[in-house]
Amino acid sequence: MFVLAQGADYEQDVFLSVKIDPVDMFDEWKARDNLLHALKEGDVAKADAALEFLSQAKVPESAIDSLELLQVNFILGRYDLAVPQFANMLKKAGKRVRYSFADDDLKTYLKKETRFAAHYNDRPGDRDHRQRVDKAESYLKSAMQADIKQEYKDLAQILIETLPFWMIYDKDYFTYSWDHSLKGYGISKDVDLANVIKVRASSYRDYRGVDVDTTRIERALEKMNEFCEKYPDSEYFSWIKKNVKDFDEYLKGYKKFRNYHEEKLYTGGLGFEVFGDALNWTFMLGVPIQYSRYIITPYYYRNKDLRGGFVSMGYDAYENKRFKFQPYFSLGTSIGPGVQADYRFWLESAPDSKFHIASYLSLKLRYMLGYTFDYRNDSRKDWVLYNFIFVGLGFHFW
């Protein structure tokens, strides 16, 4: 009964090229209307009769598609059908499938009642994603409390843990768009509503600009491994094994991405520094340029008695996420050795997705022992030995 509702592998590529004419679907229109009224009235027998007819269409999913059947089964509380069908829908993530031919009251009713499929295409796909996940999760939690076989309960638990990392699409996502003339949503003029062939599910695992719940992924991996050990003959064994690999790689990639500083240590970059020395009332600006561990920084400094420029040549002796230590030697209107310590008090949470560049702010403490030209007598012949202790602030790219 209800091949589609049982989650069988029914989608065949040959049918995706078949054109459906709504004019020839009179009986299907009527059956869909009967199904709508049956759901509103809670008449299960009437709903079953309509589903039986719709699921026998010559072109699979033309009269009612797998998303609509999943929505119906959730509404009716038939979790023994809904859970495996949900998993089968995700198994086909990224593949093109057929949406039903109708843009009718049944489609609207199912969308409003279930609210777990994305139906906007004019804004980022993650908008309202949390609410859609919560709604699907509520259905799956009910499934875990229902009288269904344990394998499906364990499968539902895996689906719950992985829900945030999938996106499910409603037909409206591909057929409706914002109409500026109407100042509202409308059906796109170039869309053939009866022949929408698009993806129904896709992975949703971009970790740029978002905080990923790593604990949830770890729980999901644990549940998936337990499932494979417990049900080696399950029809979902291979799919879940693949997900173990995919989610493990995703988790490792995310952790590496968020700990991007580890691969940037001792690599270099460009920055801007400003320093002040209260002992000598000296102001100093610098532009550090680092390649590997070597740092070259041109500086300009000035106080009431002295002014000039010099170049500092430093070595990145020690560095971690927060601290950096460099000895250096300066040449120019100030000559001498010194040391500098940096404390990164703010780092970007993740690097730029295109160029993999990140920035940070740092507090700086710089000691400088230097022979410096004395301008007080308008002469460059006078050299003065100074001890400078600078406190500064820096902005850097790496």
Side-chain angles (χ1 to χ4, degrees):
M1 181 180 179
F2 313 145
V3 174
L4 299 185
Q6 292 173 355
D9 191 9
Y10 49 83
E11 293 161 350
Q12 303 175 39
D13 290 339
V14 67
F15 288 115
L16 296 182
S17 60
V18 177
K19 291 292 184 180
I20 301 299
D21 188 347
V23 176
D24 299 328
M25 305 288 281
F26 176 79
D27 292 336
E28 286 77 5
W29 283 112
K30 185 176 180 180
R32 288 177 63 90
D33 190 58
N34 289 339
L35 176 58
L36 172 61
H37 286 90
L39 292 173
K40 289 182 175 181
E41 296 165 5
D43 189 334
V44 178
K46 186 177 178 180
D48 284 347
L51 285 171
E52 180 71 40
F53 177 80
L54 293 168
S55 65
Q56 301 304 320
K58 292 181 179 180
V59 178
E61 297 204 85
S62 60
I64 188 166
D65 60 48
S66 62
L67 174 60
E68 293 173 324
L69 281 162
L70 175 61
Q71 293 167 324
V72 168
N73 286 328
F74 272 147
I75 292 172
L76 294 177
R78 293 204 282 220
Y79 301 113
D80 57 328
L81 299 177
V83 171
Q85 187 186 15
F86 204 141
N88 276 323
M89 190 164 59
L90 296 183
K91 282 173 69 175
K92 298 180 183 299
K95 295 182 178 180
R96 294 166 66 247
V97 298
R98 180 180 289 277
Y99 285 79
S100 70
F101 78 99
D103 187 64
D104 58 1
D105 292 339
L106 174 64
K107 188 205 73 173
T108 302
Y109 173 80
L110 294 175
K111 178 177 67 175
K112 290 183 177 180
E113 283 294 309
T114 56
R115 303 193 310 278
F116 62 80
H119 55 272
Y120 294 103
N121 65 359
D122 69 324
R123 59 197 194 190
D126 57 355
R127 178 167 176 173
D128 307 323
H129 184 62
R130 181 68 256 176
Q131 290 87 336
R132 293 194 298 271
V133 167
D134 290 343
K135 186 62 177 179
E137 187 174 312
S138 68
Y139 281 124
L140 291 167
K141 284 183 176 179
S142 296
M144 293 183 65
Q145 302 301 317
D147 185 19
I148 60 177
K149 64 180 183 178
Q150 188 61 43
E151 179 185 351
Y152 288 171
K153 290 184 178 182
D154 294 342
L155 184 59
Q157 181 64 62
I158 292 172
L159 295 176
I160 287 173
E161 298 296 356
T162 59
L163 276 173
F165 310 105
W166 300 101
M167 184 77 78
I168 299 170
Y169 302 95
D170 183 272
K171 182 179 180 179
D172 286 354
Y173 189 89
F174 305 106
T175 60
Y176 275 65
S177 61
W178 183 263
D179 190 321
H180 292 282
S181 61
L182 298 176
K183 295 184 178 180
Y185 284 95
I187 299 174
S188 301
K189 296 178 182 179
D190 58 345
V191 171
D192 181 358
L193 286 173
N195 296 281
V196 176
I197 312 295
K198 298 288 185 179
V199 297
R200 183 162 294 130
S202 65
S203 62
Y204 183 70
R205 298 169 201 169
D206 184 12
Y207 40 66
R208 291 169 173 80
V210 296
D211 291 322
V212 174
D213 187 346
T214 57
T215 302
R216 187 163 190 154
I217 297 178
E218 290 166 353
R219 285 200 309 265
L221 287 169
E222 181 182 355
K223 296 297 180 183
M224 286 189 281
N225 283 317
E226 289 176 357
F227 185 95
C228 290
E229 291 179 7
K230 194 173 180 180
Y231 308 104
D233 298 323
S234 171
E235 64 177 297
Y236 301 102
F237 179 88
S238 297
W239 177 65
I240 290 178
K241 267 294 186 184
K242 182 180 182 301
N243 273 285
V244 169
K245 179 182 178 182
D246 291 346
F247 276 93
D248 184 60
E249 290 178 353
Y250 173 65
L251 181 61
K252 290 178 180 177
Y254 175 72
K255 288 182 176 180
K256 182 179 180 180
F257 183 76
R258 293 306 297 263
N259 293 310
Y260 67 91
H261 66 276
E262 293 179 357
E263 62 183 32
K264 289 185 176 293
L265 300 178
Y266 306 111
T267 61
L270 175 69
F272 303 93
E273 301 175 330
V274 58
F275 289 95
D277 173 27
L279 296 178
N280 299 286
W281 295 98
T282 302
F283 172 77
M284 187 166 68
L285 290 173
V287 181
I289 303 168
Q290 180 173 344
Y291 176 76
S292 184
R293 288 186 175 224
Y294 302 99
I295 308 168
I296 296 178
T297 310
Y299 284 102
Y300 172 77
Y301 67 92
R302 181 163 188 157
N303 62 22
K304 63 179 182 178
D305 299 321
L306 308 172
R307 67 182 182 274
F310 62 91
V311 175
S312 171
M313 294 173 289
Y315 181 75
D316 189 350
Y318 175 77
E319 186 175 7
N320 62 25
K321 181 178 181 179
R322 294 295 179 183
F323 294 97
K324 183 175 182 177
F325 178 80
Q326 61 159 310
Y328 65 87
F329 192 87
S330 298
L331 290 173
T333 55
S334 182
I335 301 174
V339 292
Q340 178 173 314
D342 295 15
Y343 170 69
R344 298 186 182 101
F345 63 90
W346 175 85
L347 297 88
E348 277 194 285
S349 60
D352 174 76
S353 59
K354 185 175 182 180
F355 301 105
H356 203 63
I357 295 173
S359 59
Y360 65 86
L361 293 172
S362 60
L363 292 174
K364 299 171 180 291
L365 182 64
R366 183 180 180 95
Y367 170 73
M368 179 176 172
L369 176 65
Y371 281 97
T372 305
F373 287 123
D374 191 340
Y375 283 83
R376 282 174 293 185
N377 298 318
D378 292 324
S379 171
R380 288 178 177 257
K381 297 179 180 180
D382 295 330
W383 290 82
V384 180
L385 179 64
Y386 275 87
N387 283 287
F388 294 96
I389 299 178
F390 292 99
V391 176
L393 181 68
F395 177 74
H396 296 261
F397 297 100
W398 64 347

Short mmCIF file of all heavy atoms in Angstrom, two decimals, residues 1 24 52 54 65 82 104 108 111 117 140 145 162 191 201 229 239 257-258 265 306 308 311 314 341 356 370-371 398:
data_model
loop_
_atom_site.label_atom_id
_atom_site.label_comp_id
_atom_site.label_asym_id
_atom_site.label_seq_id
_atom_site.Cartn_x
_atom_site.Cartn_y
_atom_site.Cartn_z
N MET A 1 0.84 -1.21 0.00
CA MET A 1 0.00 0.00 0.00
C MET A 1 0.87 1.25 0.00
O MET A 1 1.80 1.37 0.79
CB MET A 1 -0.91 0.00 1.24
CG MET A 1 -1.84 1.19 1.34
SD MET A 1 -2.84 1.09 2.84
CE MET A 1 -3.77 2.60 2.68
N ASP A 24 -5.11 17.19 -18.39
CA ASP A 24 -5.35 15.74 -18.40
C ASP A 24 -5.39 15.14 -17.01
O ASP A 24 -5.48 13.92 -16.87
CB ASP A 24 -4.26 15.04 -19.22
CG ASP A 24 -4.24 15.51 -20.67
OD1 ASP A 24 -5.32 15.86 -21.20
OD2 ASP A 24 -3.14 15.55 -21.25
N GLU A 52 -4.21 6.24 -2.21
CA GLU A 52 -4.09 5.04 -3.04
C GLU A 52 -4.20 5.39 -4.51
O GLU A 52 -3.42 4.92 -5.35
CB GLU A 52 -5.19 4.04 -2.66
CG GLU A 52 -5.19 2.75 -3.45
CD GLU A 52 -4.02 1.86 -3.09
OE1 GLU A 52 -3.69 1.77 -1.89
OE2 GLU A 52 -3.42 1.28 -4.01
N LEU A 54 -3.75 8.51 -5.94
CA LEU A 54 -2.69 9.42 -6.35
C LEU A 54 -1.33 8.74 -6.49
O LEU A 54 -0.54 9.10 -7.36
CB LEU A 54 -2.58 10.58 -5.35
CG LEU A 54 -3.77 11.54 -5.30
CD1 LEU A 54 -3.68 12.46 -4.09
CD2 LEU A 54 -3.84 12.36 -6.59
N ASP A 65 3.83 14.20 -4.63
CA ASP A 65 5.26 13.90 -4.54
C ASP A 65 5.65 13.44 -3.14
O ASP A 65 4.84 13.45 -2.21
CB ASP A 65 6.09 15.10 -5.00
CG ASP A 65 5.84 16.35 -4.17
OD1 ASP A 65 5.86 16.25 -2.92
OD2 ASP A 65 5.64 17.44 -4.75
N ALA A 82 6.53 7.64 7.81
CA ALA A 82 7.18 8.94 7.70
C ALA A 82 8.68 8.88 7.95
O ALA A 82 9.47 9.51 7.23
CB ALA A 82 6.53 9.94 8.66
N ASP A 104 -2.14 23.98 -5.60
CA ASP A 104 -3.54 24.03 -5.14
C ASP A 104 -3.63 24.21 -3.63
O ASP A 104 -2.64 24.41 -2.93
CB ASP A 104 -4.26 22.75 -5.58
CG ASP A 104 -3.58 21.49 -5.04
OD1 ASP A 104 -2.57 21.62 -4.32
OD2 ASP A 104 -4.06 20.38 -5.36
N THR A 108 -0.84 24.17 -0.30
CA THR A 108 -0.77 25.27 0.67
C THR A 108 -1.05 24.79 2.08
O THR A 108 -0.38 25.18 3.04
CB THR A 108 -1.78 26.37 0.29
OG1 THR A 108 -1.49 26.83 -1.04
CG2 THR A 108 -1.72 27.53 1.25
N LYS A 111 1.92 22.79 3.48
CA LYS A 111 3.03 23.68 3.79
C LYS A 111 2.80 24.41 5.11
O LYS A 111 3.70 24.47 5.96
CB LYS A 111 3.21 24.69 2.65
CG LYS A 111 4.32 25.71 2.90
CD LYS A 111 4.50 26.64 1.71
CE LYS A 111 3.30 27.55 1.52
NZ LYS A 111 3.51 28.54 0.44
N ALA A 117 9.80 22.81 5.40
CA ALA A 117 10.46 22.91 4.10
C ALA A 117 10.61 24.38 3.70
O ALA A 117 9.69 25.18 3.87
CB ALA A 117 9.66 22.16 3.04
N LEU A 140 9.71 14.18 14.64
CA LEU A 140 10.57 13.01 14.82
C LEU A 140 10.63 12.58 16.29
O LEU A 140 10.76 11.38 16.60
CB LEU A 140 11.97 13.30 14.30
CG LEU A 140 12.05 13.44 12.77
CD1 LEU A 140 13.39 14.03 12.34
CD2 LEU A 140 11.83 12.09 12.10
N GLN A 145 8.38 8.22 20.22
CA GLN A 145 7.46 7.80 21.28
C GLN A 145 6.34 6.91 20.74
O GLN A 145 5.54 6.38 21.52
CB GLN A 145 6.84 9.03 21.95
CG GLN A 145 7.86 10.00 22.55
CD GLN A 145 8.73 9.35 23.60
OE1 GLN A 145 8.23 8.59 24.44
NE2 GLN A 145 10.02 9.64 23.58
N THR A 162 20.94 15.31 13.02
CA THR A 162 21.53 15.85 11.79
C THR A 162 20.64 16.86 11.08
O THR A 162 21.05 17.44 10.07
CB THR A 162 21.86 14.71 10.81
OG1 THR A 162 20.66 13.98 10.49
CG2 THR A 162 22.88 13.76 11.41
N VAL A 191 7.96 29.85 -15.23
CA VAL A 191 7.93 28.55 -14.56
C VAL A 191 6.76 27.72 -15.07
O VAL A 191 5.63 28.20 -15.17
CB VAL A 191 7.81 28.71 -13.03
CG1 VAL A 191 7.55 27.37 -12.36
CG2 VAL A 191 9.09 29.32 -12.48
N ALA A 201 16.15 18.03 -1.50
CA ALA A 201 16.95 18.14 -0.28
C ALA A 201 18.40 18.37 -0.67
O ALA A 201 18.84 17.96 -1.75
CB ALA A 201 16.81 16.88 0.57
N GLU A 229 26.37 -0.72 13.89
CA GLU A 229 26.72 -1.93 14.64
C GLU A 229 25.47 -2.75 14.95
O GLU A 229 25.51 -3.99 14.93
CB GLU A 229 27.42 -1.54 15.95
CG GLU A 229 28.81 -0.94 15.76
CD GLU A 229 29.44 -0.55 17.08
OE1 GLU A 229 28.84 -0.85 18.14
OE2 GLU A 229 30.53 0.07 17.06
N TRP A 239 24.09 4.19 3.50
CA TRP A 239 23.88 5.64 3.55
C TRP A 239 24.41 6.23 4.85
O TRP A 239 25.07 7.28 4.85
CB TRP A 239 22.39 5.94 3.38
CG TRP A 239 22.06 7.39 3.48
CD1 TRP A 239 22.44 8.40 2.65
CD2 TRP A 239 21.27 8.02 4.51
NE1 TRP A 239 21.95 9.62 3.08
CE2 TRP A 239 21.21 9.42 4.22
CE3 TRP A 239 20.58 7.55 5.63
CZ2 TRP A 239 20.52 10.31 5.00
CZ3 TRP A 239 19.88 8.46 6.42
CH2 TRP A 239 19.85 9.82 6.10
N PHE A 257 39.03 25.16 10.49
CA PHE A 257 38.65 26.50 10.03
C PHE A 257 38.59 27.48 11.19
O PHE A 257 39.08 28.61 11.08
CB PHE A 257 37.29 26.42 9.34
CG PHE A 257 36.81 27.70 8.74
CD1 PHE A 257 37.34 28.19 7.56
CD2 PHE A 257 35.82 28.44 9.38
CE1 PHE A 257 36.90 29.38 7.02
CE2 PHE A 257 35.37 29.63 8.83
CZ PHE A 257 35.91 30.10 7.65
N ARG A 258 37.97 27.06 12.30
CA ARG A 258 37.86 27.96 13.45
C ARG A 258 39.19 28.13 14.18
O ARG A 258 39.39 29.12 14.89
CB ARG A 258 36.79 27.43 14.41
CG ARG A 258 35.39 27.48 13.85
CD ARG A 258 35.00 28.85 13.36
NE ARG A 258 34.97 29.84 14.39
CZ ARG A 258 33.86 30.22 15.02
NH1 ARG A 258 32.70 29.68 14.72
NH2 ARG A 258 33.89 31.14 15.95
N LEU A 265 50.47 30.87 12.24
CA LEU A 265 51.59 31.19 13.12
C LEU A 265 52.90 31.12 12.34
O LEU A 265 53.12 30.21 11.54
CB LEU A 265 51.63 30.22 14.30
CG LEU A 265 50.39 30.20 15.20
CD1 LEU A 265 50.57 29.16 16.30
CD2 LEU A 265 50.12 31.56 15.80
N LEU A 306 63.25 65.11 19.44
CA LEU A 306 63.75 64.19 18.43
C LEU A 306 62.68 63.87 17.40
O LEU A 306 61.49 63.89 17.69
CB LEU A 306 64.20 62.87 19.09
CG LEU A 306 65.17 63.00 20.26
CD1 LEU A 306 65.35 61.64 20.92
CD2 LEU A 306 66.51 63.55 19.79
N GLY A 308 62.47 61.48 13.43
CA GLY A 308 63.22 60.73 12.43
C GLY A 308 62.53 59.44 12.05
O GLY A 308 61.39 59.18 12.41
N VAL A 311 64.34 51.70 10.36
CA VAL A 311 63.78 50.40 9.98
C VAL A 311 64.17 49.38 11.03
O VAL A 311 65.35 49.26 11.39
CB VAL A 311 64.27 49.95 8.59
CG1 VAL A 311 63.77 48.54 8.29
CG2 VAL A 311 63.81 50.91 7.51
N GLY A 314 63.21 42.43 12.67
CA GLY A 314 62.92 41.54 13.78
C GLY A 314 62.82 40.08 13.37
O GLY A 314 62.80 39.74 12.19
N ALA A 341 56.82 42.56 22.66
CA ALA A 341 55.84 41.51 22.98
C ALA A 341 54.45 41.99 22.58
O ALA A 341 54.09 43.15 22.84
CB ALA A 341 55.88 41.18 24.47
N HIS A 356 41.06 33.80 2.40
CA HIS A 356 41.55 33.16 3.62
C HIS A 356 42.42 34.11 4.45
O HIS A 356 43.43 33.72 5.04
CB HIS A 356 42.33 31.88 3.28
CG HIS A 356 42.37 30.91 4.43
ND1 HIS A 356 41.23 30.33 4.94
CD2 HIS A 356 43.40 30.43 5.17
CE1 HIS A 356 41.56 29.53 5.94
NE2 HIS A 356 42.87 29.58 6.11
N GLY A 370 68.54 52.71 22.08
CA GLY A 370 69.00 53.22 20.81
C GLY A 370 69.82 54.50 20.90
O GLY A 370 69.56 55.35 21.76
N TYR A 371 70.78 54.59 20.00
CA TYR A 371 71.49 55.85 19.76
C TYR A 371 70.65 56.63 18.76
O TYR A 371 70.34 56.14 17.67
CB TYR A 371 72.89 55.60 19.21
CG TYR A 371 73.89 55.20 20.27
CD1 TYR A 371 74.18 53.87 20.49
CD2 TYR A 371 74.51 56.18 21.06
CE1 TYR A 371 75.09 53.50 21.46
CE2 TYR A 371 75.43 55.82 22.03
CZ TYR A 371 75.72 54.47 22.23
OH TYR A 371 76.63 54.11 23.19
N TRP A 398 46.61 38.71 8.56
CA TRP A 398 47.48 37.55 8.37
C TRP A 398 46.73 36.44 7.66
O TRP A 398 45.54 36.51 7.45
CB TRP A 398 48.10 37.08 9.67
CG TRP A 398 47.14 36.57 10.71
CD1 TRP A 398 45.77 36.70 10.72
CD2 TRP A 398 47.47 35.83 11.89
NE1 TRP A 398 45.24 36.10 11.82
CE2 TRP A 398 46.26 35.56 12.56
CE3 TRP A 398 48.65 35.35 12.44
CZ2 TRP A 398 46.21 34.84 13.75
CZ3 TRP A 398 48.58 34.64 13.64
CH2 TRP A 398 47.38 34.40 14.28
#
